[in-house]
């Protein structure tokens, strides 16, 4: 029971003097003297990257072998393990392949003799002449630019449609009829039949 007017005491008994708080490392824990005395260097292990499987290459090879069903493809993938090639081999500390050069290749030397003889101008003129011939042939096939093509409007202007003959036929209910109660047609009273 807590004492009256005082907070409740939550106390636990501490472990003895031989208890170590934290994590105890048996191999390295030599204290400050060992830490100052020498460096604990870790030797780097050679790391071999495992590349993912190249399913595109495996699929092509399976088709070349004559696999057609899904089961045959699965068996082929199980026994033929083709991996992707490591394109960043130089990035991860590999050696450069023999005969590999870095940078851009040099541009070819300028043919000085062709410059002296104006050979480039002659080649350009030949290209322009050939282009002009092609344009002339295309224009000849299509027709001249000033010529107007025949369309519906121009055809109707030259060949007008025949005039419509007016039809005098009307529905019977709209015909003028003599009223039945009139004695004679002299009265000129006309009624529209409904």
């Amino acid at each position: 029971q807590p004492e009256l007017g005082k907070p409740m005491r939550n106390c636990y008994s501490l472990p003895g003097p031989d208890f170590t708080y934290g994590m105890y490392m048996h191999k390295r824990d030599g204290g400050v003297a060992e830490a100052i005395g020498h460096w604990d260097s870790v030797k780097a292990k050679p790391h071999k990257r495992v590349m993912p499987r190249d399913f595109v290459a495996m699929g092509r090879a399976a088709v070349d072998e004559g696999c057609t069903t899904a089961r045959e493809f699965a068996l082929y993938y199980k026994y033929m393990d083709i991996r992707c090639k490591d394109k960043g081999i130089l990035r991860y500390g590999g050696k450069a392949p023999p005969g590999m050069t870095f940078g851009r290749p040099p541009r070819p030397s300028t043919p000085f003799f062709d410059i002296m003889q104006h050979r480039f101008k002659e080649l350009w003129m030949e290209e322009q002449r050939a282009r002009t011939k092609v344009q002339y042939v295309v224009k000849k096939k299509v027709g001249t630019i000033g010529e107007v093509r025949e369309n519906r409007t121009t055809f109707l202007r030259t060949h007008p449609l025949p005039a419509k003959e007016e039809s005098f036929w009307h529905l019977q209910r709209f015909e003028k009829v003599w009223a039945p109660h009139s004695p004679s047609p002299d009265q000129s009273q006309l009624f529209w039949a409904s």
Side-chain angles (χ1 to χ4, degrees):
Q1 294 259 344
E3 298 178 21
L4 187 63
K6 291 186 178 179
M8 185 174 161
R9 293 179 185 172
N10 289 330
C11 298
Y12 299 100
S13 57
L14 294 175
D18 57 342
F19 181 77
T20 305
Y21 294 96
M23 195 166 76
Y24 185 77
M25 299 179 75
H26 296 279
K27 293 183 180 178
R28 290 188 182 178
D29 198 8
V32 177
E34 186 180 345
I36 293 174
H38 70 279
W39 289 99
D40 191 7
S41 60
V42 179
K43 291 181 180 179
K45 295 179 182 177
H47 176 66
K48 186 178 180 183
R49 277 186 63 203
V50 178
M51 297 300 291
R53 299 177 81 184
D54 191 0
F55 286 100
V56 175
M58 284 194 292
R60 285 186 188 136
V63 169
D64 291 342
E65 290 293 325
C67 298
T68 54
T69 62
R71 186 174 183 278
E72 291 173 353
F73 271 94
L75 288 172
Y76 189 85
Y77 290 166
K78 186 176 181 183
Y79 293 111
M80 293 297 291
D81 189 20
I82 301 173
R83 298 286 173 169
C84 293
K85 293 177 182 170
D86 191 4
K87 293 180 182 174
I89 198 162
L90 297 176
R91 209 180 317 156
Y92 298 104
K95 292 182 180 178
M100 182 174 181
T101 56
F102 295 94
R104 293 174 60 185
R107 53 180 285 242
S109 60
T110 306
F112 194 71
F113 193 68
D114 289 345
I115 293 174
M116 293 287 289
Q117 289 185 334
H118 302 289
R119 178 77 182 138
F120 295 111
K121 183 190 92 171
E122 292 171 9
L123 290 173
W124 183 81
M125 292 294 286
E126 288 174 12
E127 287 176 9
Q128 295 303 315
R129 287 187 201 108
R131 187 181 297 172
T132 308
K133 285 181 184 177
V134 169
Q135 287 175 351
Y136 178 74
V137 169
V138 170
K139 189 189 285 186
K140 197 171 186 181
K141 284 182 182 177
V142 173
T144 58
I145 299 173
E147 185 180 328
V148 179
R149 290 187 178 182
E150 188 79 18
N151 58 16
R152 185 174 170 79
T153 308
T154 56
F155 179 78
L156 289 176
R157 283 182 187 152
T158 55
H159 305 88
L161 292 174
K164 263 190 171 180
E165 295 181 9
E166 190 175 344
S167 173
F168 294 105
W169 180 86
H170 299 290
L171 285 173
Q172 191 176 4
R173 62 180 170 180
F174 295 121
E175 291 290 331
K176 293 182 180 178
V177 213
W178 298 108
H181 67 278
S182 61
S184 65
D186 304 354
Q187 296 176 353
S188 68
Q189 290 182 353
L190 298 174
F191 295 95
W192 290 99
S194 61

